[in-house]
Amino acid sequence: MSGMTPAGDFRSSYRADTTIFPTRGSRVALLIGIAILCTCPLMLGRYELGLLITIGFMGIAALGLNILVGFTGQISIGHAAFFGFGAFASALLAEHHVPVPIAIWGAGLMTAVVGLVFGAPAARLKGLYLAIATLAAQFILEDFFARARWFTGGVAGRITEPYTVFGVSFDREETYFYVVLAHVVLMFLAAANLMRTRDGRALVAVRDHYLSAEIMGINLAYYRTLSFAISSFFAGVGGALYAHYLLFVSVEAFNILFSIQFLAMVIIGGLGSVMGSLMGAAFMVLLPELVQVGADLLAGSAIDRALKLGASISFLREMVVGAAIILFLIFEPDGLAHRWRLVKAYWKLYPYSH
Amino acid sequence: METGLLFQLVLNGLIVGALYGVVAMSFVLIYKASQVVNFAQGEFLLVGAWVCWWLLTTWQLPFWAGFLVTLAFMTLFGVILQVVVLRPLIGEPVISVIMATVGLSIFFQALMKWMFGVFAQPFPPIFPVERVRILGLEVQSVYLMSLGISLLIMLGFWWFFTWSKHGLAMRATAFDQQVAQSLGVSVPRVFAMSWAISAVVSAVAGVVVGVVNGVSSALSFYGIKVFPAVILGGLDSVVGAVLGGLIVGVLENLAQYVDAEWLNWGNMYQVAPFYALILILLIKPYGLFGTKTIERV
């Protein structure tokens, strides 16, 4: 939203200053981008589409976490548990004959309520105390998943219904892609819009200086908890989309490592950047693929035999995730979104970039 | 209720709790000295135990030699982590620092799985395993050894922070960095030292657990169990950490007992401390002995 504006584009009203897309160019670029994405199912294979779908629902959940961490300045180490809650809630609703398109939003709302419960400590705690409280939430919810057979199906997991509208079933990558794309566009526009509203500005004020925010009449407890609810809503919708994509949800998936991956997306994408969440999600989804490609290239070579690359590929992926978090924090703390802004600025000023 | 079983559970809880206390102490040490919440504390145990196991099995070193090499390695390990990863992040927001240690945690967890596999490996027998009767209760001698070592470490901590020059320098730094600096304390060195000591002490705990239960990635869970302990005791209190560790150890065992007798939920052993954690955070977030910072959130 912020950043470079072309010469001659003066803002003469507050309304002009807070638009999501400041120039005509950016609006056109967005429409072209969506149009290109719409043609993806015609051009790409099922595997690539699967990756794009994964980026989509992970991006929605990461966006939720970014609203919490990046915009409100509260850390949560339990995001995957909320993501999982959304997945199971949507599966449960669909089983009780709620149409899947409605079940997804219903799951989002249910997750938001759970987020409110576990976000309640946020009204009193901050910083690392809150981080530890959400860590506890992660373990308590994970335990709940393992125990509540009526909700999750226990160790057997739960089979979910495919996404169906008016008898048309979106159960293949080529068709489900459009479902995810529609949700991604909707959720990202909603988040970008949220940041223009009174509530969105209040969240940022809470992050920047809670004392000044309170003096300006912002109810801290209310906005801290609200931010948890919103973040959980996004996580729930993302989780629901995940459930109806895989058509099966297992209890073990939503562990702490998954939560850390969401945090990594937010940090790598850029704290406090809406588009950064999507970039971070794309990075984190594609990174393991890159590791796989690298391992495949080395397959059969001496390095592969010495280090047992093929057999331990899952550990390698985890290591790369950990290393990516640390390296980004040290060398690029503003994330990919910042890098993207620099690239854009470079091309705008092209011949005279200095 | 069988009192015998209850006593046995409490004793088990105290033995495990003493180890939690040791790990919690080294966690608090890092927090006090450098204001870093270390989510990778459990990985110190893991790395230490695996290194010691590797020296003992692959290199066939005698236990004392392998143990000393492990301690030397962990000193280096702690210092390198602090200098390479944490030092560039000084002055960054709390969230970034927490995330960096979280990143360290999953990095080393995966690295250890890659290098040593996912299966628990037993230590070569070091102490004869036999049962000892104390006050009518049966206790394995390794557990007694673990309790003894925990107490020894705690005593060592007490001596270090009350009488030694470096310990006093650390306390001064924890109290006020600028004042300590003006008195000639090298703050970067104190930071590095706190990480080194913390890594070494955690590694000792890791080796003890490894000798008792075998080495596996489950060791890193001690790093998570530390949080209920330190929150209960107060984040910046060494005494509180020890007490918190003991309480969490006993609580786990009692929760398991209550669960097995009446509730039949299963898994309470793992989860009960986290319910306690949430409660404490809501009622008394600064713990039993923590410093109350006066600020309304």
Side-chain angles (χ1 to χ4, degrees), chain B residues 280-296:
Chain B
I280 300 156
L281 281 177
L282 284 175
I283 299 165
K284 201 169 165 28
Y286 299 105
L288 298 173
F289 298 95
T291 319
K292 284 198 182 80
T293 33
I294 298 173
E295 104 186 302
R296 226 179 62 78

mmCIF file of all heavy atoms in Angstrom, chain B residues 280-296:
data_model
loop_
_atom_site.group_PDB
_atom_site.id
_atom_site.type_symbol
_atom_site.label_atom_id
_atom_site.label_comp_id
_atom_site.label_asym_id
_atom_site.label_seq_id
_atom_site.Cartn_x
_atom_site.Cartn_y
_atom_site.Cartn_z
ATOM 1 N N ILE B 280 -1.862 -20.095 35.746
ATOM 2 C CA ILE B 280 -0.912 -19.199 36.414
ATOM 3 C C ILE B 280 -0.800 -17.883 35.655
ATOM 4 O O ILE B 280 -0.780 -16.802 36.236
ATOM 5 C CB ILE B 280 0.483 -19.850 36.513
ATOM 6 C CG1 ILE B 280 0.411 -21.141 37.298
ATOM 7 C CG2 ILE B 280 1.460 -18.902 37.168
ATOM 8 C CD1 ILE B 280 1.532 -22.076 36.956
ATOM 9 N N LEU B 281 -0.758 -17.989 34.325
ATOM 10 C CA LEU B 281 -0.626 -16.774 33.529
ATOM 11 C C LEU B 281 -1.815 -15.845 33.752
ATOM 12 O O LEU B 281 -1.679 -14.625 33.735
ATOM 13 C CB LEU B 281 -0.517 -17.123 32.049
ATOM 14 C CG LEU B 281 0.860 -17.590 31.592
ATOM 15 C CD1 LEU B 281 0.827 -17.980 30.146
ATOM 16 C CD2 LEU B 281 1.887 -16.497 31.813
ATOM 17 N N LEU B 282 -2.998 -16.449 33.968
ATOM 18 C CA LEU B 282 -4.179 -15.614 34.151
ATOM 19 C C LEU B 282 -4.221 -15.014 35.552
ATOM 20 O O LEU B 282 -4.669 -13.894 35.739
ATOM 21 C CB LEU B 282 -5.438 -16.433 33.901
ATOM 22 C CG LEU B 282 -5.728 -16.692 32.425
ATOM 23 C CD1 LEU B 282 -6.916 -17.606 32.272
ATOM 24 C CD2 LEU B 282 -5.978 -15.379 31.705
ATOM 25 N N ILE B 283 -3.738 -15.779 36.535
ATOM 26 C CA ILE B 283 -3.896 -15.326 37.918
ATOM 27 C C ILE B 283 -2.688 -14.520 38.381
ATOM 28 O O ILE B 283 -2.806 -13.440 38.944
ATOM 29 C CB ILE B 283 -4.104 -16.533 38.858
ATOM 30 C CG1 ILE B 283 -5.371 -17.280 38.453
ATOM 31 C CG2 ILE B 283 -4.199 -16.094 40.296
ATOM 32 C CD1 ILE B 283 -5.465 -18.648 39.058
ATOM 33 N N LYS B 284 -1.496 -15.074 38.122
ATOM 34 C CA LYS B 284 -0.300 -14.477 38.718
ATOM 35 C C LYS B 284 0.845 -14.560 37.706
ATOM 36 O O LYS B 284 1.752 -15.380 37.850
ATOM 37 C CB LYS B 284 0.048 -15.275 39.990
ATOM 38 C CG LYS B 284 0.918 -14.551 40.988
ATOM 39 C CD LYS B 284 0.936 -15.353 42.282
ATOM 40 C CE LYS B 284 2.009 -14.974 43.261
ATOM 41 N NZ LYS B 284 2.533 -13.677 43.318
ATOM 42 N N PRO B 285 0.783 -13.749 36.646
ATOM 43 C CA PRO B 285 1.713 -13.948 35.520
ATOM 44 C C PRO B 285 3.188 -13.814 35.887
ATOM 45 O O PRO B 285 4.032 -14.287 35.153
ATOM 46 C CB PRO B 285 1.293 -12.896 34.504
ATOM 47 C CG PRO B 285 0.415 -11.968 35.225
ATOM 48 C CD PRO B 285 -0.164 -12.679 36.378
ATOM 49 N N TYR B 286 3.500 -13.180 37.000
ATOM 50 C CA TYR B 286 4.922 -13.033 37.318
ATOM 51 C C TYR B 286 5.430 -14.154 38.213
ATOM 52 O O TYR B 286 6.560 -14.125 38.677
ATOM 53 C CB TYR B 286 5.199 -11.662 37.920
ATOM 54 C CG TYR B 286 4.833 -10.577 36.954
ATOM 55 C CD1 TYR B 286 3.696 -9.818 37.119
ATOM 56 C CD2 TYR B 286 5.596 -10.386 35.803
ATOM 57 C CE1 TYR B 286 3.331 -8.862 36.188
ATOM 58 C CE2 TYR B 286 5.234 -9.442 34.867
ATOM 59 C CZ TYR B 286 4.108 -8.675 35.071
ATOM 60 O OH TYR B 286 3.755 -7.754 34.137
ATOM 61 N N GLY B 287 4.586 -15.132 38.461
ATOM 62 C CA GLY B 287 5.044 -16.322 39.167
ATOM 63 C C GLY B 287 5.224 -16.098 40.650
ATOM 64 O O GLY B 287 4.875 -15.050 41.200
ATOM 65 N N LEU B 288 5.773 -17.120 41.312
ATOM 66 C CA LEU B 288 5.906 -17.062 42.761
ATOM 67 C C LEU B 288 7.000 -16.102 43.189
ATOM 68 O O LEU B 288 6.861 -15.372 44.162
ATOM 69 C CB LEU B 288 6.223 -18.460 43.303
ATOM 70 C CG LEU B 288 5.153 -19.522 43.056
ATOM 71 C CD1 LEU B 288 5.649 -20.887 43.488
ATOM 72 C CD2 LEU B 288 3.886 -19.161 43.812
ATOM 73 N N PHE B 289 8.123 -16.103 42.442
ATOM 74 C CA PHE B 289 9.276 -15.324 42.881
ATOM 75 C C PHE B 289 9.728 -14.278 41.858
ATOM 76 O O PHE B 289 10.775 -13.696 42.002
ATOM 77 C CB PHE B 289 10.464 -16.252 43.184
ATOM 78 C CG PHE B 289 10.201 -17.212 44.292
ATOM 79 C CD1 PHE B 289 9.762 -18.494 44.026
ATOM 80 C CD2 PHE B 289 10.370 -16.833 45.607
ATOM 81 C CE1 PHE B 289 9.515 -19.384 45.045
ATOM 82 C CE2 PHE B 289 10.126 -17.721 46.630
ATOM 83 C CZ PHE B 289 9.690 -18.991 46.353
ATOM 84 N N GLY B 290 8.986 -14.130 40.786
ATOM 85 C CA GLY B 290 9.435 -13.241 39.723
ATOM 86 C C GLY B 290 9.335 -11.779 40.115
ATOM 87 O O GLY B 290 8.577 -11.409 41.007
ATOM 88 N N THR B 291 10.105 -10.926 39.447
ATOM 89 C CA THR B 291 10.031 -9.500 39.689
ATOM 90 C C THR B 291 8.744 -8.974 39.072
ATOM 91 O O THR B 291 8.448 -9.245 37.929
ATOM 92 C CB THR B 291 11.202 -8.782 39.009
ATOM 93 O OG1 THR B 291 12.364 -9.565 39.192
ATOM 94 C CG2 THR B 291 11.395 -7.416 39.575
ATOM 95 N N LYS B 292 7.997 -8.227 39.854
ATOM 96 C CA LYS B 292 6.781 -7.628 39.306
ATOM 97 C C LYS B 292 7.157 -6.332 38.607
ATOM 98 O O LYS B 292 7.664 -5.412 39.229
ATOM 99 C CB LYS B 292 5.798 -7.326 40.421
ATOM 100 C CG LYS B 292 5.088 -8.541 40.946
ATOM 101 C CD LYS B 292 3.852 -8.114 41.714
ATOM 102 C CE LYS B 292 3.134 -9.302 42.290
ATOM 103 N NZ LYS B 292 3.750 -9.808 43.525
ATOM 104 N N THR B 293 6.973 -6.291 37.287
ATOM 105 C CA THR B 293 7.140 -5.007 36.627
ATOM 106 C C THR B 293 5.789 -4.336 36.673
ATOM 107 O O THR B 293 4.792 -4.929 36.298
ATOM 108 C CB THR B 293 7.575 -5.180 35.168
ATOM 109 O OG1 THR B 293 6.976 -6.359 34.671
ATOM 110 C CG2 THR B 293 9.074 -5.264 35.039
ATOM 111 N N ILE B 294 5.781 -3.113 37.165
ATOM 112 C CA ILE B 294 4.493 -2.452 37.324
ATOM 113 C C ILE B 294 4.119 -1.822 36.001
ATOM 114 O O ILE B 294 4.690 -0.834 35.565
ATOM 115 C CB ILE B 294 4.559 -1.395 38.436
ATOM 116 C CG1 ILE B 294 4.879 -2.102 39.750
ATOM 117 C CG2 ILE B 294 3.240 -0.666 38.544
ATOM 118 C CD1 ILE B 294 5.134 -1.179 40.879
ATOM 119 N N GLU B 295 3.203 -2.468 35.310
ATOM 120 C CA GLU B 295 2.719 -1.908 34.064
ATOM 121 C C GLU B 295 1.405 -2.586 33.772
ATOM 122 O O GLU B 295 1.264 -3.781 33.958
ATOM 123 C CB GLU B 295 3.750 -2.127 32.950
ATOM 124 C CG GLU B 295 3.445 -3.204 31.970
ATOM 125 C CD GLU B 295 4.613 -3.393 31.018
ATOM 126 O OE1 GLU B 295 4.973 -2.423 30.365
ATOM 127 O OE2 GLU B 295 5.134 -4.504 30.940
ATOM 128 N N ARG B 296 0.456 -1.768 33.403
ATOM 129 C CA ARG B 296 -0.841 -2.342 33.116
ATOM 130 C C ARG B 296 -0.941 -2.607 31.623
ATOM 131 O O ARG B 296 -0.611 -1.744 30.818
ATOM 132 C CB ARG B 296 -1.942 -1.384 33.546
ATOM 133 C CG ARG B 296 -3.053 -2.049 34.323
ATOM 134 C CD ARG B 296 -4.082 -1.024 34.738
ATOM 135 N NE ARG B 296 -4.676 -0.419 33.545
ATOM 136 C CZ ARG B 296 -5.598 -1.024 32.812
ATOM 137 N NH1 ARG B 296 -6.015 -2.220 33.128
ATOM 138 N NH2 ARG B 296 -6.103 -0.429 31.752
#
